[in-house]
Amino acid sequence: MDTTVQKALTILEVLARSDTHRGITDLAGELGLSKSNVHRLLSTLIQLGYVANEDGRYGPTSKLWELGSLIIGRYDVRRLARPIMEVLARQSGETVHLSVLDEISCEVVYIDKIESGQAVRAYSEVGGRAPAHCVATGKAMLAELPDAALLALEGRLAPHTRRSIATVEELLRQVAQIRRDRFAVNHGEWRDQVRGVASVIRGADGRVAAAIGISGPAGRLTQDFIRRTAPMVVEAGDTVSRLMGGSRPAAHVA
């Protein structure tokens, strides 16, 4: 075990459980560490945004709460979305995905899925990842970010098929359409013969918690199929949002 990581996490746990901010001497005495060691670890935690220094006394920042909320939110959205996913799977006959967005890597993470009963179906796995700009659930969630965040993706939009978004200009053009329609479509942009349609799920704070979508072979997910099923996907997202205490947002502000 990396003892430096262990010591840093131990300090963080002590600060999180303390009713008041703590001093270096106090922490060193409780943990059996040297003051210089505690000071060095605290400096690293401050740089990472987990600890704040107020007049020589240290306490945790809200970053711990933010991370914990994300994890709990994922558990909640999976539990609440599952029955709605089952309905959507029956309605569409295709695979249904539940994804969250990893903004740092600009990837979606699949946190749940219901497999299609069709012999030929889209392949994915829970815990798997895909580039957000190439799949419907990812594009739906990217559309909720401010334009400034999308502009920062310049140079990071690697194409995976000839249909993939490869420029920020194209991403912004599609995002504008997604914001109007309230659903996103993948036209074979991650896997050439796989299409999808997705819409976002909002938490009680109004922020996007996840996205729900269906995917399948391009031969079945025709333009007509997408046109018929897109309202079902949007309604599924809205239903889970309501269960989470969220609601349909007002007009998007870029």
Side-chain angles (χ1 to χ4, degrees), residues 65-82 85 98-105 107-112 126-129 141 201-203 208-211 240 244:
W65 177 84
E66 292 168 4
L67 292 176
S69 296
L70 285 174
I71 294 169
I72 292 172
R74 290 177 184 179
Y75 290 144
D76 283 347
V77 73
R78 284 186 67 180
R79 176 177 58 83
L80 295 172
R82 187 71 184 188
M85 292 172 66
L98 185 67
S99 306
V100 293
L101 179 65
D102 182 340
E103 290 189 39
I104 295 176
S105 66
E107 295 175 314
V108 299
V109 181
Y110 297 112
I111 62 172
D112 203 1
V126 175
R129 289 172 173 258
M141 290 185 284
I201 294 168
R202 297 179 182 279
V208 170
V240 183
M244 294 185 68

Side-chain angles (χ1 to χ4, degrees), residues 96-247:
V96 178
H97 290 109
L98 185 67
S99 306
V100 293
L101 179 65
D102 182 340
E103 290 189 39
I104 295 176
S105 66
C106 197
E107 295 175 314
V108 299
V109 181
Y110 297 112
I111 62 172
D112 203 1
K113 68 176 289 191
I114 295 178
E115 198 77 75
S116 167
Q118 305 274 8
V120 178
R121 52 186 181 265
Y123 172 78
S124 63
E125 59 182 14
V126 175
R129 289 172 173 258
H133 67 290
C134 294
V135 295
T137 54
K139 289 162 71 174
M141 290 185 284
L142 287 177
E144 297 297 319
L145 299 179
D147 287 352
L150 300 179
L151 289 169
L153 297 176
E154 184 67 61
R156 297 179 58 191
L157 303 175
H160 293 270
T161 75
R162 60 187 176 85
R163 299 181 182 87
S164 300
I165 295 172
T167 66
V168 167
E169 290 75 18
E170 175 60 17
L171 177 62
L172 290 172
R173 187 188 70 77
Q174 290 199 28
V175 157
Q177 184 68 43
I178 293 166
R179 290 169 180 168
R180 289 193 295 269
D181 294 342
R182 299 189 61 234
F183 65 86
V185 178
N186 159 24
H187 296 286
E189 298 157 51
W190 172 225
R191 298 288 183 253
D192 192 56
Q193 292 301 313
V194 177
R195 292 179 178 174
V197 55
S199 189
V200 297
I201 294 168
R202 297 179 182 279
D205 59 1
R207 298 172 61 185
V208 170
I212 187 171
I214 59 176
S215 64
R220 291 202 301 267
L221 268 70
T222 61
Q223 288 297 103
D224 181 63
F225 177 93
I226 290 172
R227 184 167 53 253
R228 288 186 288 105
T229 56
M232 302 177 192
V233 175
V234 173
E235 177 57 29
D238 286 349
T239 300
V240 183
S241 296
R242 287 193 293 271
L243 291 172
M244 294 185 68
S247 61

